[in-house]
Amino acid sequence: MVKKIKRSDGRAPDELRKPYIIKAGVVKRAQGSALVQSGKTIVIAAVYGPKKVIPKHLEDRDKAILRCRYNMITFSVKDRKKPGPDKRSVEISKVIANALSRVVMLEEYPRTLIDVDLEVIQADAGTRVAALTAASVALADAGIAMKDLMPAVAAGRANGQILLDLTKEEEDAEDAVDMPFAYIPSTGEITLLQMDGIVDLNEIKKMIDLAKKGAQQIYELQVKALKERYAALATLSEVVK
Ligand code: UDP
């Protein structure tokens, strides 16, 4: 049971940020796309592929290559972000690709490449989990075979409390712990678990419980976003018949 003390934005410790929005099909030119907004954090995911691998010698004859590119745009943060990749974005791209490769049925698309581009439009902590949440919706929107969607959220600690979906202000608390988390609801498999800060085992267990509950809520929003997308497409096909 998480202690209910209000946070600076008025949330209970186990509440997601407001607004928490997921939309599928937000980018016209990509095969699949999604937007995730968690409070002031906004990320767009766009999927291209499966497509030819160039140069050809890089292709894998048994499965698709999943290439993820996480990027913070220059005006996503308070101090202008220097454009281009850095150590952090390369690491985040890699952990996102590793996590997604647990749900995408890559073996269905041998000798191809699937690009997942993740643009952080506005950052207020939790960008990697918002990017992962957007990525699996965008992949589903692109019609790519998947075992399940993959909701992701951070849990952590700030000001002596175990919290869900921390803001940057909370992440900057003196005793802060941040634990980005992703999992596959149908199997219970944890596909991302990182951590900054010092915690005891009991706190880790509480954080994982809280993250799972938050991820379950996000999963429902992911499913709803895809249903809305398909309902809109069905209406459009009625109109153009
Ligand atoms: N941040 C920033 N500039 C940077 C990198 C990060 O201002 O170059 C901020 C941004 O708000 C980000 C937060 O620090 O969301 C936390 O970054 P972290 O590396 O923990 O990743 P995240 O929580 O966004 O996945």
Side-chain angles (χ1 to χ4, degrees):
M1 182 67 187
V2 180
K3 259 198 299 178
K4 305 257 178 195
I5 300 173
K6 290 279 183 203
R7 300 154 76 170
S8 66
D9 56 10
R11 276 186 293 159
D14 55 354
E15 249 185 287
L16 292 171
R17 277 183 260 188
K18 282 183 190 137
Y20 195 103
I21 297 168
I22 305 182
K23 266 191 176 171
V26 293
V27 173
K28 272 209 168 60
R29 292 199 160 80
Q31 262 110 337
S33 60
L35 174 144
V36 168
Q37 174 167 10
S38 172
K40 292 183 195 140
T41 289
I42 305 173
V43 179
I44 291 181
V47 170
Y48 293 83
K51 57 187 180 181
K52 252 197 193 157
V53 181
I54 299 171
K56 196 173 160 46
H57 70 87
L58 291 179
E59 68 183 28
D60 184 332
R61 65 177 185 176
D62 298 322
K63 58 181 190 331
I65 298 167
L66 186 66
R67 185 167 66 181
C68 296
R69 186 182 142 278
Y70 162 100
N71 179 55
M72 282 177 119
I73 61 174
T74 52
F75 50 86
S76 62
V77 285
K78 212 162 150 215
D79 299 316
R80 178 180 179 269
K81 163 86 178 54
K82 192 171 164 233
D86 53 22
K87 219 174 128 197
R88 176 178 172 276
S89 66
V90 170
E91 184 229 308
I92 294 178
S93 301
K94 193 166 185 293
V95 295
I96 288 176
N98 284 346
L100 287 174
S101 66
R102 306 295 303 177
V103 277
V104 180
M105 294 165 82
L106 297 172
E107 59 289 351
E108 296 283 321
Y109 310 102
R111 300 183 190 279
T112 67
L113 171 69
I114 300 170
D115 266 322
V116 182
D117 292 338
L118 303 155
E119 296 292 341
V120 178
I121 310 299
Q122 196 166 274
D124 184 39
T127 60
R128 76 194 65 199
V129 285
L132 250 178
T133 298
S136 66
V137 175
L139 283 157
D141 183 42
I144 289 173
M146 290 163 79
K147 293 175 194 150
D148 201 350
L149 294 164
M150 192 191 290
V153 68
R157 185 188 64 208
N159 310 313
Q161 284 194 95
I162 303 297
L163 303 173
L164 183 67
D165 198 10
L166 281 74
T167 60
K168 176 80 174 119
E169 186 195 346
E170 289 169 334
E171 265 195 33
D172 289 342
E174 217 166 277
D175 66 337
V177 173
D178 178 38
M179 189 196 75
F181 173 94
Y183 97 133
I184 305 174
S186 54
T187 61
E189 186 186 351
I190 296 174
T191 51
L192 174 80
L193 200 150
Q194 299 183 290
M195 196 178 295
D196 283 341
I198 298 167
V199 269
D200 63 41
L201 200 56
N202 195 28
E203 285 179 307
I204 295 182
K205 283 184 186 152
K206 280 190 192 158
M207 283 180 206
I208 292 178
D209 272 357
L210 196 54
K212 271 192 186 163
K213 281 184 196 145
Q216 194 57 43
Q217 290 174 49
I218 293 173
Y219 181 67
E220 281 155 28
L221 295 174
Q222 287 179 311
V223 171
K224 186 167 163 263
L226 286 164
K227 280 188 179 162
E228 281 168 5
R229 167 77 166 145
Y230 286 111
L233 286 176
T235 312
L236 191 66
S237 68
E238 282 300 310
V239 172
V240 294
K241 243 181 204 171

